[in-house]
Amino acid sequence: TNGPLRQLLAEKLLGRGQAAEAETEFRLALAQDTNNAALKSGLAHAFFAQGKHGEALVVVEDALRGGLRLRVS
């Protein structure tokens, strides 16, 4: 499947308040591009929007340990 299209879909879902669906799309996109900072940031945002703060923190810490720069919004 197409990673950039999954990312776009995930971002749109997250923007519409459909965080669980966005989480799924971010996970699928990350399976193809494991070191993508935008995808990791989006997944962290999706977790946070669902109240999954611990999971969000794990994603952020993993990204930072890997030297990725995450976007904050």
Side-chain angles (χ1 to χ4, degrees):
T1 59
N2 193 319
L5 287 178
R6 282 206 180 279
Q7 180 178 352
L8 180 61
L9 175 58
E11 290 169 353
K12 295 295 182 186
L13 288 166
L14 190 57
R16 295 177 63 126
Q18 295 174 273
E21 293 85 352
E23 175 189 340
T24 299
E25 294 301 327
F26 280 123
R27 284 180 182 274
L28 290 169
L30 274 165
Q32 298 173 12
D33 189 1
T34 58
N35 289 319
N36 184 307
L39 292 173
K40 287 192 178 199
S41 180
L43 180 59
H45 280 100
F47 279 143
F48 193 82
Q50 295 175 80
K52 298 179 178 181
H53 302 139
E55 289 93 332
L57 183 59
V58 168
V59 171
V60 169
E61 288 175 340
D62 178 62
L64 294 175
R65 273 195 301 277
L68 298 178
R69 295 184 59 153
L70 300 181
R71 62 184 163 101
V72 179
S73 57

